[in-house]
Amino acid sequence: MAVTSHASIKSRDAVSTLADRWPLLGQRRPLVVYLCAIVALDLVAIVVFSATTVFQWRDALTFTALMACGAVCIEATRRLGMPAGVSRDLLSAWWLPVALLLPPVYALFAPIVLQILLQVRVRATVLYRRVFSSAAIGLAGCTASLVFHRLVDDPWVLSQGSGPPILFAVAAAVLFSLLNIALIAIAAHTADPDMSWREVLWNRESVLLDIVELCLGVTVSIACGLNLALLLLALPPVVLLQRSLLHAQLQAAARTDAKTGLLNAAAWQREADTEIVRARRTGDSLALLIIDIDHFKRVNDAHGHLVGDQVLVGVASLLRNQLREYDVVGRFGGEEFVVLLPGADIDEARQVAERLRVGIGRMAVPVDDTLVRVTVSTGVALMSVHGDDLIDLLTAADLALYRAKELGRDRVCIPAVPPPPPPQPPPPTLPNDTPTP
């Protein structure tokens, strides 16, 4: 499920704008169209399947029991909170059994119930994100339910443990996961077209979490088919796993900047200190860049802080995509970014800084009928040339950054290295006045 932070914008006369009252309207037009289409499709599916589904007390009781388990998981993790940005939970352990065991209409309603609880009891976020998450999960669950019920006449045969129904259940769970990922990935890529598909789809950790959710969902489905009372045995381990997952995400969130997803200043400094100590020990070269967006205040004043945030996100995304995995990238505050380049000499550091400067200069953020473009100024410092510790390197790079701004901005500067002192002549030798015997 996608849950991201949102920064509202206000006009300079402190009157809330339309985008402030309706945050969805402040997003890119293709994203608004896509979100509305998914929600509309979900509503149509709810109406159609509600009209064609025969109500049965057994289904209603099973649905209530699974939603109650989901509510217990939400309440058990409520004190931990939910990190800003995209977060993961294990609520699929309760959505998947609904999709596998019950008619498709229940799979459409299940995420609505739990998303309302998340919004009210855990963390209130912008409403359109909750609505879209409910629609995406509901459509994915409805599709998986249709496929499974087409392959298996009686879904409750899962409790018998025979091979084919379990394999079909696994296939339906995989379909549910893939559809949910695809729907959210399309929304993420539409919101930020510069973001690579590989970045928005998944990474190794996401794949592992998807496998865990799949296994939990199928296992809970089998237990639920045997006896609803077995949900009481399945609930504690799921709660423990979800608490561990959210705790790990909160720890990661404490290290990252909420707007850009890069390391925050404190976390970046710790990582940079570690790299500098390693470079001293091994004798490797190391370079540091300070990147500052030129005239960023003008962007906020002219277009609002929401557009300014989009510029920051775009710059951060470009930095991640253009740099190596082991380069240490962070947001230093405001419109400043810092980059540590392990193993880079002065020529390589200058080339990297120029490549980033050109890439950011070509970046454009769409706003209404225009495009917002920015440039950056960069200061570069090299270890053992401009300093031997982090403070010295930051000071040297900062001086070079101010030099770049003085020269007209949109450029890369390297601090001048003072020439080495001239060699001192050897001290004169005194004549030997000791008389010889």
Side-chain angles (χ1 to χ4, degrees):
M1 129 181 58
V3 181
T4 57
S5 60
H6 170 75
S8 62
I9 58 175
K10 293 187 177 181
S11 58
R12 279 172 288 183
D13 57 359
V15 178
S16 297
T17 64
L18 184 62
D20 189 37
R21 295 191 296 269
W22 298 94
L24 178 61
L25 300 180
Q27 306 303 313
R28 301 179 70 251
R29 186 172 301 175
L31 177 63
V32 176
V33 172
Y34 174 74
L35 297 185
C36 292
I38 294 298
V39 173
L41 183 60
D42 184 61
L43 292 175
V44 170
I46 290 175
V47 172
V48 171
F49 285 103
S50 296
T52 57
T53 299
V54 178
F55 177 83
Q56 295 183 3
W57 283 107
R58 181 185 186 185
D59 295 340
L61 180 60
T62 303
F63 179 78
T64 302
L66 289 169
M67 292 300 97
C69 290
V72 171
C73 279
I74 291 173
E75 288 297 320
T77 57
R78 185 171 63 88
R79 292 185 180 275
L80 287 178
M82 182 176 289
V86 177
S87 59
R88 297 291 302 264
D89 53 44
L90 294 178
L91 293 179
S92 292
W94 317 114
W95 287 324
L96 272 176
V98 170
L100 295 176
L101 299 177
L102 305 180
V105 67
Y106 290 98
L108 293 167
F109 278 108
I112 297 176
V113 175
L114 297 185
Q115 288 287 346
I116 290 174
L117 285 175
L118 286 171
Q119 179 77 4
V120 174
R121 299 294 294 169
V122 179
R123 181 173 180 267
T125 185
V126 285
L127 189 59
Y128 77 86
R129 297 189 184 277
R130 291 289 187 203
V131 174
F132 171 73
S133 294
S134 299
I137 296 168
L139 290 174
C142 179
T143 305
S145 181
L146 285 171
V147 170
F148 182 69
H149 285 75
R150 179 64 63 90
L151 297 174
V152 179
D153 294 332
D154 181 12
W156 296 94
V157 299
L158 276 176
S159 60
Q160 298 177 4
S162 56
I166 293 178
L167 291 178
F168 290 144
V170 171
V174 171
L175 177 63
F176 168 82
S177 181
L178 291 177
L179 285 176
N180 187 33
I181 290 171
L183 291 173
I184 294 178
I186 292 172
H189 190 268
T190 306
D192 183 9
D194 294 329
M195 188 180 299
S196 65
W197 280 106
R198 181 178 180 182
E199 186 176 357
V200 300
L201 281 172
W202 58 55
N203 52 35
R204 182 179 300 178
E205 184 176 355
S206 295
V207 171
L208 292 176
L209 288 175
D210 290 333
I211 294 174
V212 170
E213 289 182 331
L214 184 152
C215 295
L216 281 175
V218 174
T219 302
V220 171
S221 299
I222 295 173
C224 190
L226 287 170
N227 193 324
L228 281 180
L230 291 178
L231 291 178
L232 296 176
L233 298 179
L235 185 58
V238 175
V239 170
L240 182 61
L241 285 173
Q242 184 164 336
R243 285 180 63 89
S244 300
L245 177 61
L246 287 178
H247 183 70
Q249 291 181 91
L250 287 168
Q251 283 185 321
R255 301 178 65 249
T256 57
D257 174 66
K259 288 182 180 178
T260 63
L262 301 178
L263 293 174
N264 58 32
W268 182 88
Q269 183 173 347
R270 290 193 295 269
E271 296 281 346
D273 280 328
T274 301
E275 287 294 334
I276 288 174
V277 170
R278 185 196 61 79
R280 283 179 186 164
R281 184 177 65 251
T282 60
D284 293 340
S285 58
L286 180 146
L288 184 147
L289 314 180
I290 297 183
I291 302 171
D292 185 86
I293 302 176
D294 298 327
H295 303 300
F296 184 69
K297 186 175 183 299
R298 295 181 185 176
V299 176
N300 286 332
D301 292 342
H303 304 285
H305 290 281
L306 183 58
V307 174
D309 290 346
Q310 292 176 357
V311 170
L312 292 174
V313 171
V315 172
S317 177
L318 186 141
L319 293 178
R320 280 194 299 265
N321 292 333
Q322 293 291 325
L323 295 171
R324 303 166 297 187
E325 290 186 1
Y326 54 86
D327 292 331
V328 186
V329 190
R331 184 184 176 202
F332 218 47
E335 63 271 24
E336 280 192 346
F337 299 85
V338 280
V339 179
L340 200 73
L341 303 173
D345 56 22
I346 195 65
D347 292 330
E348 184 179 357
R350 185 196 295 271
Q351 292 174 1
V352 171
E354 284 291 345
R355 185 175 72 244
L356 296 176
R357 182 189 66 82
V358 172
I360 294 172
R362 293 174 178 172
M363 185 185 71
V365 176
V367 179
D368 297 330
D369 296 330
T370 185
L371 296 175
V372 175
R373 299 182 185 274
V374 295
T375 61
V376 294
S377 301
T378 304
V380 182
L382 189 70
M383 185 173 171
S384 300
V385 176
H386 304 113
D388 290 323
D389 58 25
L390 183 58
I391 299 300
D392 291 341
L393 291 175
L394 285 171
T395 302
D398 196 46
L399 291 174
L401 172 63
Y402 277 101
R403 178 63 175 164
K405 291 182 175 294
E406 290 175 355
L407 294 175
R409 304 176 189 266
D410 190 18
R411 65 190 65 232
V412 175
C413 280
I414 299 174
V417 180
Q424 298 294 329
T429 56
L430 297 177
N432 189 359
D433 293 335
T434 305
T436 56

